[in-house]
Amino acid sequence: MLPKFPGASGDRAGSVAEQVRQLAGHLARPTAATRDRHREWDETLFKALTVPGTFGGGLTAVQTCALLTALGEGSQDPGLALAVTTHAVLVTVPLRTFGTSAQRDRYLPAIAAGDWIGGLSLLQTSGGPATVTARASGPDWLLSGALDLVALGPKAHHFLVIAEHSTGSRTAFLVDADTPGLEVEEIAPAALRTCPWGRIVLDNCQVPAEAVLGSVGGAATEVEPLLATLDWIFVSAAWLGILRALATGSLAATRTRVLHGAQLLDSQSARFTLADLNIQNELVAGQLAQVAAGLDDSTPTTYQDAASARLFATTAVRAVTSGAAELAGPVGDDLVDRAYRDARFFVSSGGGAEVLRPVIAASMFED
């Protein structure tokens, strides 16, 4: 069960979402293909599209979902959308939720100003095996190990790191990038190229007791369930925006593409595919709105509800990217090509079906 985060009115959030969609369309969409092709990171663009008042900081979970969907739809840039979601939600919300007053006072103003960026290994959002260990050193902690697939790694000021103790319990830490014993290696994965990626290596990295996020040994019941739920809901919300852009582009393609001497729009098969794309999008939107609303209600969204929404979203992403590629034809479309490639990453992230299905199944046997 997750905490309630009250926020602004729906009318205001709808207006802000539309502003984000238009701004992203104006600033990010024209250069998305070029930045992807050259693996370019545009920090000015990132700061312009990062909304500091997201979930837990003035806007509700439902409203934050709407903003991220608008960002994905307007920018047509899955990598940029993931970068914004990682920083503004995945790293910052656990800080707001479990951080001490001193931690919030230190980090949140600089985050809101766009001066400090937070990074996170996406392998930590699924509760998998720990790759970092923590041992006490007087009042401090020594962290050792490595974290792969760190979104925003080369650009981050701080990282959310979950480390395992010799007892098997885990603790979450906020670790600044300039901490001695921490090194960041830049990597270049095949997908989501407009998001900077890195690998963190920690070699007896000494962090103070004040770096602990939540309680010592309590990550498994505090930060980790929240982190997984945030990933499953809000990363999916950004992808919903990409799916909507694909559906819009597919409709345009059927109006202009000629196949076997006839306009594609006259094909019943093409019309059925368009209908399927829109149905998938509406179903994903409804599920995400429902689970996000639970984060704002007095009876919060469960871990299992979020897993169900993410599993359905992965199915929709497969279907919509494949359908859009079919309608685009052999000539292809840049967004279709990028989304089809990046969709494989999304489907496997967040633990993939191997993690999501057991979580959902376990809820069926609970009293």
Side-chain angles (χ1 to χ4, degrees):
M1 306 294 279
L2 301 174
K4 178 182 178 182
F5 287 91
S9 67
D11 290 344
R12 171 180 174 267
S15 174
V16 172
E18 178 57 23
Q19 292 174 21
V20 169
R21 189 185 68 80
Q22 293 184 13
L23 184 64
H26 176 69
L27 295 179
R29 188 187 306 174
T31 61
T34 300
R35 286 184 288 104
D36 179 89
R37 189 161 48 250
H38 298 292
R39 298 181 182 274
E40 292 178 358
W41 165 247
D42 189 330
E43 188 164 337
T44 301
L45 181 62
F46 170 79
K47 289 181 178 180
L49 295 174
T50 300
V51 181
T54 48
F55 179 35
L59 296 178
T60 66
V62 171
Q63 294 160 358
T64 298
C65 268
L67 292 186
L68 294 174
T69 298
L71 172 64
E73 184 177 8
S75 69
Q76 298 188 6
D77 186 342
L80 176 63
L82 177 65
V84 171
T85 306
T86 298
H87 165 70
V89 178
L90 300 187
V91 179
T92 304
V93 171
L95 168 60
R96 287 190 174 123
T97 306
F98 296 108
T100 63
S101 58
Q103 287 172 330
R104 293 195 297 269
D105 289 345
R106 178 171 187 260
Y107 286 94
L108 292 180
I111 289 172
D115 296 330
W116 288 3
I117 296 173
L120 173 75
S121 167
L122 296 188
L123 298 178
Q124 294 187 120
T125 67
S126 57
T131 58
V132 175
T133 62
R135 60 185 178 88
S137 176
D140 299 334
W141 296 93
L142 293 178
L143 307 183
S144 295
L147 289 169
D148 293 309
L149 214 61
V150 180
L152 293 166
K155 307 299 179 182
H157 166 272
H158 56 277
F159 302 98
L160 197 166
V161 175
I162 297 172
E164 188 170 271
H165 304 281
S166 59
T167 59
S169 63
R170 299 182 183 185
T171 298
F173 297 87
L174 288 172
V175 185
D176 291 350
D178 61 359
T179 304
L182 185 152
E183 292 186 5
V184 181
E185 304 170 357
E186 189 166 359
I187 61 174
L192 297 157
R193 297 173 178 174
T194 56
C195 176
W197 295 92
R199 181 175 190 264
I200 298 176
V201 178
L202 303 105
D203 183 10
N204 284 322
C205 178
Q206 187 168 3
V207 297
E210 292 76 17
V212 171
L213 184 63
S215 59
V216 173
T221 57
E222 296 172 346
V223 174
E224 289 188 281
L226 175 61
L227 194 55
T229 301
L230 295 174
D231 183 350
W232 294 341
I233 295 174
F234 294 102
V235 174
S236 299
W239 264 95
L240 173 60
I242 300 297
L243 299 188
R244 285 179 172 173
L246 287 171
T248 300
S250 295
L251 177 60
T254 62
R255 287 173 170 162
T256 58
R257 186 182 169 202
V258 175
L259 185 64
H260 305 307
Q263 192 175 27
L264 187 60
L265 190 59
D266 296 330
S267 164
Q268 188 176 54
S269 174
R271 287 173 176 258
F272 285 174
T273 300
L274 283 173
D276 289 342
L277 301 190
N278 283 279
I279 290 170
Q280 290 285 340
N281 287 351
E282 289 305 311
L283 290 174
V284 172
Q287 276 212 319
L288 290 178
Q290 181 177 352
V291 295
L295 296 178
D296 302 319
D297 292 341
S298 57
T299 54
T301 288
T302 66
Y303 191 56
Q304 292 81 5
D305 292 337
S308 297
R310 177 56 165 260
L311 186 60
F312 187 82
T314 62
T315 301
V317 166
R318 286 195 193 98
V320 174
T321 53
S322 296
E326 176 186 330
L327 293 175
V331 175
D333 172 86
D334 183 74
L335 173 61
V336 172
D337 292 341
R338 288 184 286 117
Y340 191 87
R341 177 200 67 203
D342 293 347
R344 299 177 63 183
F345 181 97
F346 171 74
V347 168
S348 63
S349 65
E354 295 78 7
V355 169
L356 298 171
R357 284 195 172 99
V359 169
I360 298 166
S363 69
M364 298 170 61
F365 297 97
E366 294 178 353
D367 293 334

